[in-house]
Amino acid sequence: MTVGQNLVGTGGLIRLILRRDRVLLPLWVFLLALVPVSGVAATRELVSTQAELQQYADTSGTNPAFLALYGPLYDVSLGGVIAQRMGMFPVILALICALTVIRHTRTEEEAGRRDLLGATVIGRQANLAAALIVVLGANLVLALVIALGMIGQDLPVAGSVAFGLSFALAGWVFAAVGGVAAQLTEGAGAARGLALTVLGAAFVLRLAGDIGGEGNGASWLSGLSPIGWAHQIRSYGDERWWILVPAGVLVLGLVTAAFLLSARRDVGAGVLPPRLGPASASPRLRGTLGLAWRLQRGLLVSWTAGLTVLGLVYGGVAWGVRDMLKGNREMEEIFARMGGSAGIVDATLAAMLGIIGLIASAYAIQATLRMRAEETSLRLEPVLGTAVGRVRWMASHLVFALLGPTVALAAAGLAAGFVHGLNADDVGGQLPRVFAGAMVQLPAVWTLAAVAVALFGLLPRIAAASWAAFGLCLFLGWVGALLQLDQVLLDASPFTHLPKLPGGDVTAEPFVWLAGVVVVLVAVGLVGFRRRDVPVT
């Protein structure tokens, strides 16, 4: 079959994807472009003079904690500060792009819709081509909007273009990673897990290379990471346009690999063969909890390991913050307005643990949506055809959706507290404080999981919209204070109501309210699931 025959119908599938994502696609493009553009005015108020910019650079540009949170600062200018403060957003964009490509490729196959389309005049490679074209094109639009928005804020043209392309670079690479992952695995869940593993490895390489500052012995590690490349374009500094060349080569290589792998596998199957199970089932699988453990254990182990590593990194760099503002009253005030406090080490730990909490909520949502995956893959109906009741089956998965993040957060808190305690020469005193700061995130994490439960029970077709709640919390928590948003908007995130531990005051009121919200949403989901049809596909 020729290349042209393989791609027949690509245009129609592009229109179908745009029709299905007519709300979601513009939403994430608009939000990811709005944040840096809106942040220019707010940052200009905080660091309005060159002296303040230099003071900011002398601290955040060399301190391990800020290098871990935001990445390197390559230029002492307003644009350079913005580029550093938005250092986490390429990671967010990479995640969105990988998941979007997988959703429009492997998920379509797993649900059986790919077979129906394949029975029409649709080429074998058209589905993959359409998904990649849409996502790659969306990244190009995002880069253009960011560049124009930054130029409109009177920032240099070259730096603004490089800044927009730094976002697109991460999105392009991980859209291609998602395309390859969709060919390697047999299920959408495994494809997402593989893409997340690659993204996590890229992020850890970026952290390891940048924590010591520019020129340290491990800085070459950041050069191995596509996330590191997004930083090393050096927007608003001495732009390194040549980085786009290896990035383009990598994207082209991954896209080519995705198409070659797609041509060599059967529809509905993956290149990697599924692992054969034992000839007879384990006695544990006779119960719903054992079956849920079999389905959820991979997520639990991988997320716990990832959050533990992040806890080790964040716990290892937090102590260095205490020296960076010593004797510098002006910078203390600037960092306080950016979200700091009198106890700068505690404030840094609280911010880092908040990030870990947000990441744990992504795990909680993914564990909850495993129920929806079981339903759409038609594996739920045979289970419910036995003596297993709906509530019993759903409760077995809720154990992992609620207790799984608890285990992951506990591991991360213990890791961060132990390393921070070693640095402070006070393990016994610091470990409980940091551990409490991690565990206090649980009510907000459970709230997002409960949103997914309610949507699964009432409106299963849009259960994936629970990721929008995660995105809102991420947006409000990461840049809400920087953009000086109204407190009413910030209160939309459950994380806003949590005490900032270690160092903050603790009251029972937010825990009671969030617990009530969780109970109500979970109850709504359980009642809705009992009353609706199964399956809803």
Side-chain angles (χ1 to χ4, degrees), residues 12 19 29 37 119 182 184 195 221 223 252 448 459:
R19 175 72 175 80
V29 170
V37 174
L184 292 175
L221 291 172
L252 182 60
L448 292 187
L459 303 167

Side-chain angles (χ1 to χ4, degrees), residues 73-139:
L73 177 67
Y74 287 117
D75 188 66
V76 185
S77 66
L78 178 62
V81 170
I82 290 291
Q84 187 206 29
R85 293 286 292 185
M86 298 297 118
M88 193 68 181
F89 275 71
V91 180
I92 299 170
L93 179 60
L95 176 62
I96 291 172
C97 291
L99 295 182
T100 301
V101 170
I102 291 170
R103 182 164 64 88
H104 287 294
T105 52
R106 173 53 64 181
T107 301
E108 293 297 289
E109 289 190 39
E110 193 172 24
R113 291 185 288 268
R114 172 68 178 82
D115 286 336
L116 294 176
L117 289 173
T120 64
V121 188
I122 298 292
R124 180 182 178 85
Q125 310 280 16
N127 199 46
L128 175 61
L132 289 172
I133 289 171
V134 169
V135 177
L136 296 178
N139 279 275

